[in-house]
Amino acid sequence: MAVVACVAQFGELGRAAQIHGEVVIQRKLTRRTVTASAGAYSRGPAVGLSADLDEDPLAFERRHVVIYVEGNGSGSKIEAKIEQQNRRFLPDLVVVSAGSSVTFPNEDVIFHNIFSLSKAKSFDLGNYSKGQTRTVIFPHPGIVYVNCHLHPNMSATIFVTPNGWATTADPTGHFSLDLPPGRYTVVAWHKAAGFFKKVIDVRGESASNVVFLIAVADDGIGQSATNR
């Protein structure tokens, strides 16, 4: 994209304003995964169980909401990390911009085999043991679902954004983004509920506020939606 087109789309660069927002979730949306007992596995020694079941369910849902801005733009390429620990992925959600990489270190005393069949990026890292790691580059925006061939309870999500304007909500549901002046489509995404969009105008250095109500249809099927 030419520099002129980028400035036209994303406003006059250099005068960022901070937008504040909140995601509102009123009920549990995600079926939580609990690591199965060691006897359920035929590979490797026993590894301690681990789960986040003590966390407030709504706080869990809020911090699993990704907020980003539509449209191509620049974004610093970073290296994120998803560990394999206690037969789980930690963290189970990372957000990176296109072109970034994610490393997958194995901290367990058993083998793991990390893979994805997602359209945005498919890969299979093969079996590898404690102390080893693998790295994958994610050149294109999209959602990448990650699993382990050997331990079906393990799952993680890598959300690859088209630019550097992205974040996740905190456990209270609040978030902020720094944006140059302009008109933007801000998107909130939750794995179970889908996409929710709002168009906002950022003017000068004044702060804007945006609220997303995250919900699923009565039949429990996630769907895309626009709430303005």
Side-chain angles (χ1 to χ4, degrees):
M1 176 181 291
V3 174
V4 174
C6 186
V7 172
Q9 182 175 2
F10 290 112
E12 183 180 346
L13 300 179
R15 293 191 296 125
Q18 188 171 77
I19 67 166
H20 301 281
E22 181 181 7
V23 296
V24 178
I25 299 179
Q26 298 175 328
R27 66 186 180 89
K28 191 170 92 170
L29 304 174
T30 306
R31 180 177 296 176
R32 304 293 291 276
T33 299
V34 180
T35 305
S37 63
Y41 296 105
S42 59
R43 298 174 182 267
V47 173
L49 304 180
S50 184
D52 289 331
L53 297 183
D54 291 336
E55 182 180 12
D56 174 68
L58 294 186
F60 175 89
E61 302 292 359
R62 295 182 197 111
R63 68 180 181 84
H64 282 76
V65 176
V66 177
I67 301 96
Y68 69 99
V69 174
E70 283 189 345
N72 296 325
S74 61
S76 299
K77 297 176 178 59
I78 64 171
E79 182 177 283
K81 180 167 66 174
I82 298 179
E83 295 182 349
Q84 301 145 66
Q85 188 177 110
N86 296 331
R87 284 181 281 153
R88 301 172 62 219
F89 288 120
L90 295 175
D92 63 353
L93 171 65
V94 298
V95 181
V96 297
S97 58
S100 297
S101 62
V102 177
T103 60
F104 298 89
N106 184 359
E107 304 296 340
D108 281 336
V109 295
I110 56 178
F111 283 90
H112 289 293
N113 185 330
I114 310 308
F115 76 100
S116 176
L117 300 177
S118 299
K119 182 178 180 180
K121 180 66 176 182
S122 62
F123 57 89
D124 190 327
L125 303 184
N127 290 358
Y128 59 103
S129 60
K130 180 178 175 63
Q132 296 185 321
T133 189
R134 301 288 189 270
T135 300
V136 179
I137 297 175
F138 297 85
H140 306 296
I143 305 170
V144 180
Y145 298 106
V146 182
N147 296 96
C148 176
H149 278 299
L150 305 180
H151 307 107
N153 69 289
M154 294 175 61
S155 65
T157 304
I158 300 169
F159 200 106
V160 187
T161 63
N163 53 65
W165 293 312
T167 188
T168 55
D170 67 19
T172 68
H174 293 90
F175 65 89
S176 62
L177 287 171
D178 292 322
L179 296 171
R183 170 163 283 197
Y184 302 89
T185 298
V186 181
V187 186
W189 174 86
H190 184 282
K191 185 176 181 179
F195 295 85
F196 300 80
K197 300 183 179 183
K198 285 196 172 185
V199 176
I200 65 168
D201 291 304
V202 177
R203 297 185 176 90
E205 297 181 359
S206 61
S208 302
N209 293 288
V210 57
V211 177
F212 289 101
L213 175 61
I214 307 298
V216 295
D218 292 338
D219 59 7
I221 300 174
Q223 59 182 4
S224 298
T226 303
N227 47 13
R228 299 177 184 271

